[in-house]
């Protein structure tokens, strides 16, 4: 009996060891033959290539390590923007799919079927090479709402110029901390003494009043800078000042959110449908009002169904953002696994770092998810 | 006739309300219709704001008037229940109708009426619509990539054979039905491989050798997805079983494998297969790019298939395991005859979704230089003779992918219904 358990494990172990051994042996021989040495020292070397769009200061004289950081931040930027937009759109469409209105239901269903069944890469190409290329040149762009410009070279918006921004941020943090304390206190009060305090109203009040107070009395000032058209050459114009969003980022975010929203819509729909009708009726019959039914009965159960697959979709979105490389948006894959790899030739090191980065991102999110799942799981007897 | 009650339409004044309401809705729709199809604005004498919003306002009033509960007219009740339950719903209904009416003329004129399909150079496309000439001229490239024109019959022949062989299951006698699984899982892939190797690749039997770099277009999409699909399924099944065993080494190897491939994006996997993998092979050992890509995609998708199947295995009640053990079945007998048939039935939608994802992921192979249909589009787009027709290409391939994926998802839905056994 023991032998029966021992044998398959030994075989598995042997196969794994042989494969890894074979690969690493070959890698050593190959690298020795080509005169490449293995090591991560190149990360501190000067990179000498430029990146089109970066959230932090970066130039060719910075190191490869900093180029990696630039790529990572760009990836995170796309992912976060995509997650925000796809959540909003997905929830709206998911609810629309359950609408009593036939037209809304059908439109939402067709939206889901259509965008879900077309490869994401094709959608990104469509937005980047076909849709956004139809936009006007900077000099011909019509201002929208005064000072927003949507041109072929990107989307230009006014940007805010802050003074004493740090005080303002501290006040927001302080209000969030106090809200957490109030929530804990409110929960204690409810469980121990049965008293209800309007936690939500108090939280909203704090969230607005504290920052507003610092805004008016703490010397925080905010101005704004509008984009201005500037002529570079006879036919070449460009907008200066303000915030410019490059078309790569724009098309990537549009495509990612439209695509992922279809999946989130399905998660939301499944979640709401998954809560039995009996739950709603039972809640109503014990005298809860509509708001209480929604807050205490429907939402906790629906969220339990919705959140795990939705997190999966967020993860997918983050991984799919690597398609950015196809339209030359400088994300992690393009900057690091593309340009840096070409320049250094350190294939094993760079590909492994890139993969490890994505792996860390996904594993940490799924660990968080497992923890959350375990926390909210219904304890069955 | 009773007094007209506009504010609260009730059953008492059904008829006048119905007439006025219907008229208003029809007027508003006709106005938008004329505006969009014939560029005719009937109410242009009004100020812009008013003439812009008038159809909407009229429609809202009309829908409000015909919103009569229990009117006794079945059609009206149905209509109200479906598109007109409240003011909010009525507004959305009108907006959707208006958008549809507004969108039809530009879309149709671009796709059909102003489009060109004759001729065979760029100059033939003079209209403001789509240039389907571009698709017509490049059609062979979009379907077969750089495959030599005079050899294309080989690809066609191989695919016709494969499709014909795939339908064997429908025509077998009842007696041989038990061998079908064996046929589809083992024999069919081998036949497919032989067909593709000897017919499409060539090099033997007097056929000219066509290197895999020349393959491309939609046929490459099919080849890649077909083989990845065949390889990833058994591997995924093994991993799912591995993850559920009590043997720690097997379990953790499977967990590690699954989590690794699920954690990285496919594009980095393909990068790995193209730049890193050759370093891991013996020096004189050459592996074709296409083979490497297929292996990479199979490993990647196997992890997803494994998770889906694991979901099915977990969903089975413990009693099934206990019952088969009490009958004296061993591990393999229990899984093959009792557990897997039930578990797989449960996860048909999940498996279908994974396969759909696989088909939709194939365009990514452009990062290693293989051009399937999207890759060919990118190539054609930059051809100096055919600049400026990106939109047509994308619409064309979007339609193709939509048809393939939609058909697959419908098929899986039917399969799900067919194997649904209520427990």
């Amino acid at each position: 009996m023991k032998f029966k358990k021992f044998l398959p494990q030994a075989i598995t172990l042997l196969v794994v060891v042989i494969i890894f051994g074979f690969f690493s042996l070959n890698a050593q021989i190959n690298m020795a033959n080509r005169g490449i040495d293995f090591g991560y020292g190149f990360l501190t070397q000067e990179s000498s290539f430029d990146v089109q769009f970066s959230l932090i200061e970066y130039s060719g004289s910075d190191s490869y390590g900093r180029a990696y950081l630039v790529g990572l931040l760009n990836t995170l930027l796309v992912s976060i923007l995509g997650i925000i937009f796809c959540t909003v759109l997905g929830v709206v469409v998911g609810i629309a799919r359950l609408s009593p209105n036939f037209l809304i239901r059908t439109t939402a269903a067709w939206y889901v079927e259509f965008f879900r069944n077309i490869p994401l890469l094709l959608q990104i190409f469509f937005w980047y090479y076909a849709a956004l290329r139809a936009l006007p040149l900077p000099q011909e762009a019509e201002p929208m709402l005064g000072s927003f410009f949507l041109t072929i070279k990107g989307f230009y918006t006014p940007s805010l110029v802050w003074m004493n921004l740090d005080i303002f941020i501290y006040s927001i943090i302080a209000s969030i901390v106090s809200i957490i304390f109030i929530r804990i206190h409110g929960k204690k009060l409810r469980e121990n003494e049965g008293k209800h305090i309007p936690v939500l109203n108090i939280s909203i009040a704090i969230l607005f009043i504290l920052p507003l107070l610092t805004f008016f009395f703490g010397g925080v000032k905010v101005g704004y800078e509008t984009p201005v058209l500037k002529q570079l050459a006879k036919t070449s114009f460009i907008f200066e000042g303000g915030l410019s969003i490059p078309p790569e980022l724009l098309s990537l975010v549009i495509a990612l959110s439209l695509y992922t929203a279809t999946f989130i819509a399905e998660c939301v729909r499944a979640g709401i449908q998954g809560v039995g009708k009996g739950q709603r009726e039972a809640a109503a019959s014990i005298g809860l009002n509509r708001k209480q039914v929604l807050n205490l009965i429907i939402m906790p159960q629906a969220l339990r169904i919705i959140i795990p697959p939705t997190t999966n979709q967020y993860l997918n979105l983050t991984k799919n953002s690597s398609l950015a490389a196809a339209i030359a948006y400088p994300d992690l894959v393009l900057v690091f696994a593309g340009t840096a790899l070409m320049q250094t030739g350190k294939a094993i090191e760079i590909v492994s770092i890139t993969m490890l980065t994505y792996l860390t991102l996904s594993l940490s999110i799924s660990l968080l998810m497992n923890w959350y799942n375990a926390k909210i799981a219904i304890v069955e007897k | 006739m009773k007094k007209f009650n506009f504010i609260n339409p009730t059953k008492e004044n059904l008829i006048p309300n119905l007439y006025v309401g219907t008229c208003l809705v029809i007027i508003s729709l006709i106005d938008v219709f004329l505006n969009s199809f014939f560029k005719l604005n009937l109410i242009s004498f009004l100020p812009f704001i008013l003439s812009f919003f008038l159809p909407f306002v009229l429609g809202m009033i009309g829908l409000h008037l015909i919103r009569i509960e229990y009117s006794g007219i079945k059609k009206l009740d149905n209509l109200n229940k479906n598109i007109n339950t409240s003011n909010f719903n009525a507004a959305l209904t009108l907006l959707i109708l208006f958008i549809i009416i507004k969108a039809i003329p530009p879309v149709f004129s671009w796709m059909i009426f102003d489009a060109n399909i004759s001729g065979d150079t760029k100059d033939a496309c003079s209209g403001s619509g789509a240039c389907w000439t571009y698709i017509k001229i490049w059609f062979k490239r979009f379907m077969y990539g750089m495959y030599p024109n005079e050899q294309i019959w080989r690809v066609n022949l191989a695919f016709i054979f494969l499709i014909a062989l795939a339908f064997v299951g429908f025509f077998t006698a009842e007696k041989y039905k038990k061998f079908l699984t064996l046929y589809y899982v083992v024999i069919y892939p081998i036949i497919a491989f032989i067909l593709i190797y000897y017919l499409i690749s060539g090099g033997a039997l007097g056929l000219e050798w066509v290197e895999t770099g020349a393959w491309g277009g939609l046929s490459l999409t099919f080849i890649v997805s077909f083989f990845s699909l065949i390889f990833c399924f058994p591997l995924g099944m093994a991993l799912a079983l591995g993850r559920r065993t009590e043997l720690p080494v097997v379990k953790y190897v499977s967990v590690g494998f699954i989590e690794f491939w699920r954690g990285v994006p496919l594009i980095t996997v393909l990068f790995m297969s193209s730049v890193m993998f050759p370093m891991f092979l013996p020096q004189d050992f050459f592996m074709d790019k296409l083979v490497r890509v297929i292996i990479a995609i199979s490993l990647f998708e196997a992890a997803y298939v494994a998770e889906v199947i694991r979901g099915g295995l977990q969903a089975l009640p413990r009693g099934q395991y206990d019952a088969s053990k009490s009958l004296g079945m061993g591990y393999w007998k229990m899984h093959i005859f009792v557990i897997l048939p039930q578990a797989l039935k449960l996860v048909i939608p999940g498996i279908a979704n994974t396969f759909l994802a696989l088909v939709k992921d194939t365009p990514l192979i452009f990062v290693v230089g293989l051009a399937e249909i999207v890759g060919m589009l990118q190539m054609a787009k930059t051809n100096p003779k055919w600049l400026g027709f990106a939109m047509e290409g994308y619409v064309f391939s979007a339609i193709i992918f939509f048809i393939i994926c939609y058909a697959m998802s419908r098929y899986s839905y039917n399969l799900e219904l067919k194997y649904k056994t209520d427990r």
Side-chain angles (χ1 to χ4, degrees):
Chain A
M1 201 60 208
K2 235 178 185 177
F3 177 72
K4 217 176 161 185
K5 278 192 174 169
F6 175 73
L7 190 67
Q9 304 200 52
I11 292 174
T12 318
L13 204 61
L14 200 67
V15 169
V16 171
V17 167
I18 286 177
I19 289 177
F20 272 93
F22 179 69
F23 281 173
S24 57
L25 185 74
N26 282 325
Q28 275 174 11
I29 296 172
N30 280 331
M31 285 202 290
N33 283 345
R34 294 182 202 178
I36 313 171
D37 50 338
F38 182 84
Y40 292 94
F42 73 96
L43 281 175
T44 53
Q45 287 166 12
E46 191 178 297
S47 61
S48 67
F49 64 81
D50 227 8
V51 177
Q52 288 267 315
F53 172 80
S54 141
L55 290 178
I56 51 174
E57 292 283 318
Y58 175 80
S59 70
S61 56
D62 283 315
S63 65
Y64 282 113
R66 197 160 171 89
Y68 165 81
L69 200 63
V70 168
L72 181 62
L73 284 177
N74 281 343
T75 292
L76 290 179
L77 176 72
V78 170
S79 315
I80 291 169
L81 286 177
I83 284 174
I84 293 171
F85 288 121
C86 79
T87 310
V88 174
L89 191 61
V91 170
V92 170
V93 175
I95 293 171
R97 286 209 63 175
L98 295 172
S99 158
N101 190 327
F102 171 76
L103 281 171
I104 297 172
R105 210 164 54 215
T106 326
T107 315
W110 273 104
Y111 161 75
V112 170
E113 285 297 343
F114 189 75
F115 281 89
R116 193 169 60 165
N117 282 328
I118 293 173
L120 178 59
L121 186 69
L122 190 62
Q123 295 192 30
I124 293 176
F125 280 155
F126 171 82
W127 289 106
Y128 185 61
Y129 287 112
L132 293 188
R133 288 292 156 93
L135 291 173
L137 289 168
Q139 59 266 35
E140 292 156 3
E142 294 275 332
M144 299 187 298
L145 300 174
S147 42
F148 292 84
F149 297 92
L150 191 57
T151 73
I152 195 167
K153 289 194 177 160
F155 183 49
Y156 296 89
T157 67
S159 63
L160 298 175
V161 183
W162 291 88
M163 274 181 70
N164 295 337
L165 180 62
D166 43 350
I167 299 178
F168 192 59
I169 291 177
Y170 289 142
S171 77
I172 291 178
I173 294 172
S175 59
I176 290 174
V177 170
S178 51
I179 285 170
I180 292 172
F181 272 109
I182 287 174
R183 289 198 86 103
I184 294 171
H185 180 68
K187 199 180 168 192
K188 234 182 227 165
L189 221 57
R190 194 177 69 226
E191 281 170 1
N192 294 343
E193 300 172 29
K195 281 182 194 161
H196 277 275
I197 51 170
V199 176
L200 186 70
N201 294 349
I202 294 177
S203 318
I204 291 173
I206 290 178
L207 197 62
F208 279 97
I209 289 170
L210 205 63
L212 273 181
L213 280 179
T214 49
F215 189 79
F216 286 118
F217 302 108
V220 182
K221 279 202 185 104
V222 59
Y224 66 93
E225 193 185 32
T226 51
V228 181
L229 195 64
K230 198 184 153 198
Q231 192 165 18
L232 288 181
K234 201 176 175 188
T235 53
S236 156
F237 288 82
I238 197 170
F239 277 103
E240 279 205 339
L243 189 71
S244 82
I245 300 165
E248 290 89 12
L249 178 61
L250 212 57
S251 46
L252 203 57
V253 170
I254 294 174
L256 279 174
S257 19
L258 283 179
Y259 181 75
T260 317
T262 62
F263 294 95
I264 290 181
E266 290 297 277
C267 299
V268 170
R269 182 175 71 107
I272 296 175
Q273 278 181 339
V275 181
K277 202 175 161 192
Q279 295 286 330
R280 202 182 289 259
E281 286 163 357
S285 75
I286 57 169
L288 298 179
N289 63 28
R290 258 183 71 93
K291 201 177 141 197
Q292 281 172 324
V293 172
L294 199 68
N295 281 340
L296 301 175
I297 308 295
I298 306 291
M299 278 330 265
Q301 296 186 62
L303 280 182
R304 201 170 274 144
I305 309 174
I306 293 172
I307 286 179
T310 306
T311 329
N312 242 337
Q313 292 308 327
Y314 291 162
L315 267 179
N316 279 347
L317 189 144
T318 312
K319 282 183 279 172
N320 282 337
S321 73
S322 59
L323 293 183
I327 56 167
Y329 171 78
D331 80 323
L332 184 62
V333 172
L334 184 77
V335 170
F336 203 58
T339 320
L341 196 151
M342 289 287 192
Q343 287 201 350
T344 57
K346 300 217 173 250
I348 296 179
E349 294 91 331
I350 284 182
V351 173
S352 62
I353 290 178
T354 314
M355 286 182 128
L356 268 182
T357 310
Y358 279 106
L359 204 58
T360 321
L361 272 177
S362 354
L363 285 186
S364 47
I365 292 181
S366 41
L367 277 184
L368 210 69
M369 215 44 252
N370 285 347
W371 170 79
Y372 177 81
N373 260 339
K375 205 185 137 199
I376 63 164
I378 300 174
V379 185
E380 282 182 41
K381 279 167 195 161
Chain B
M1 201 169 115
K2 278 178 188 165
K3 214 177 128 194
F4 227 61
N5 185 356
F6 275 121
I7 311 299
N8 283 318
T10 49
K11 207 180 162 185
E12 276 80 63
N13 38 40
L14 172 72
I15 301 299
N17 268 331
L18 197 59
Y19 279 127
V20 176
T22 322
C23 277
L24 285 176
V25 173
I26 288 175
I27 286 173
S28 84
L29 288 181
I30 283 179
D31 182 54
V32 177
F33 177 80
L34 288 178
N35 206 335
S36 125
F37 278 76
F38 302 106
K39 306 252 180 309
L40 204 68
N41 198 348
L42 290 182
I43 39 175
S44 53
F45 55 87
L46 292 170
F48 173 73
I49 295 281
L50 214 59
S51 78
F52 190 75
F53 284 110
L54 196 66
F56 183 71
V57 174
L58 288 183
M60 282 298 284
I61 297 173
L63 284 179
H64 177 75
L65 286 181
I66 60 172
R67 193 180 305 130
I68 303 164
E69 274 185 79
Y70 310 117
S71 61
I73 307 170
K74 211 169 183 185
K75 274 183 186 159
L76 182 66
D77 279 348
N78 252 337
L79 189 78
N80 278 339
K81 209 168 83 188
N82 278 326
I83 64 168
N84 193 15
T85 46
S86 63
N87 277 328
F88 177 66
N89 259 331
L92 288 177
T93 304
L94 279 178
L95 279 181
I96 289 175
L97 283 178
F98 289 171
I99 289 172
I100 291 173
I101 295 175
K102 282 268 180 198
I104 285 173
V107 168
F108 272 78
S109 66
W110 185 80
M111 282 187 82
I112 298 166
F113 299 120
D114 289 350
N116 290 86
I117 194 160
S118 58
D120 29 46
T121 53
K122 189 180 171 182
D123 305 323
C125 295
S126 48
S128 56
C131 179
W132 299 124
T133 316
Y134 165 71
I135 303 294
K136 192 180 77 183
I137 299 299
W138 283 84
F139 188 76
K140 273 191 179 149
R141 299 281 80 81
F142 291 155
M143 292 295 125
Y144 306 103
M146 290 306 173
Y147 209 82
N149 267 343
E150 61 275 14
Q151 306 286 340
I152 280 175
W153 61 270
R154 282 158 52 181
V155 182
N156 288 337
L157 193 67
F159 276 102
I160 289 170
F161 266 127
L162 284 183
I163 292 169
L165 286 173
F167 280 105
V168 163
F170 293 105
F171 302 110
T172 38
E174 204 58 45
K175 215 165 117 191
Y176 300 109
K177 280 247 156 109
K178 56 187 169 187
F179 297 115
L180 271 186
T181 320
L182 180 76
Y183 169 74
Y184 278 119
V185 174
V186 182
I187 301 175
Y188 187 58
I190 294 175
I191 296 177
F193 179 76
I194 292 172
L195 265 177
I196 284 175
Y197 189 78
Y198 282 106
L199 208 53
I200 298 186
S201 185
L205 309 172
L207 291 173
E208 192 186 325
W209 167 262
V210 181
E211 56 149 359
T212 51
W215 303 13
L218 196 63
S219 54
L220 186 63
T221 307
F222 282 136
I223 293 173
V224 170
S225 4
F226 179 76
F227 281 112
S228 314
L229 203 145
I230 283 172
F231 293 136
C232 78
F233 191 68
L235 189 59
M237 202 140 61
L239 284 170
L241 289 179
R243 197 173 178 159
R244 299 258 306 159
T245 56
E246 288 144 10
L247 313 173
V249 174
V250 179
K251 186 177 170 184
Y252 287 109
V253 168
S254 308
V255 170
F257 187 93
I258 292 172
E259 292 303 329
F260 173 75
W261 292 104
R262 269 163 47 92
V264 295
L266 183 58
I267 205 165
T268 58
V269 176
L270 291 172
F271 257 112
M272 190 178 88
S273 83
S274 80
V275 297
M276 192 166 135
F277 194 59
M279 299 283 270
F280 289 146
L281 292 177
Q283 206 152 40
D284 46 352
F285 187 86
F286 174 75
M287 198 187 259
D288 192 88
K289 201 152 65 177
L290 187 61
V291 178
R292 279 182 310 193
V293 162
I294 289 177
I295 293 175
I297 296 182
S298 308
L299 292 178
F300 182 80
E301 298 291 344
Y304 286 85
V305 171
E307 283 301 271
V308 171
I309 295 180
R310 182 171 75 114
L313 291 175
Q314 278 177 348
L316 280 191
R318 248 192 82 97
Q320 296 289 335
Y321 291 87
D322 294 342
S324 41
K325 268 183 199 157
S326 71
L327 286 177
M329 291 181 169
Y331 180 85
W332 292 110
K333 239 181 183 174
M334 172 173 85
H335 275 93
I336 291 171
F337 293 112
V338 180
I339 304 300
L340 278 177
Q342 297 185 65
L344 292 182
K345 200 161 65 189
L346 283 179
V347 296
I348 288 172
I351 298 271
N353 276 340
T354 318
F355 287 167
L356 271 180
L358 193 158
V359 174
K360 284 186 292 172
D361 277 343
T362 47
L364 284 188
I365 59 176
F366 90 100
V367 296
V368 296
L370 288 169
E372 53 65 76
I373 184 164
V374 180
M376 286 310 298
L377 278 179
Q378 292 303 97
M379 227 182 263
K381 190 172 65 67
T382 48
N383 186 307
K385 279 186 194 162
W386 291 96
L387 288 177
F389 297 117
M391 185 72 100
E392 286 84 347
Y394 294 134
V395 170
F396 171 71
S397 56
I399 291 172
I400 288 184
F401 269 109
F402 180 76
I403 291 172
I404 296 171
C405 296
Y406 190 69
M408 266 177 82
S409 68
R410 283 287 103 180
Y411 179 69
S412 88
Y413 183 69
N414 288 340
L415 220 58
E416 196 190 329
L417 288 188
K418 187 176 153 195
Y419 288 111
K420 198 172 191 174
T421 43
D422 283 310
R423 281 191 290 140

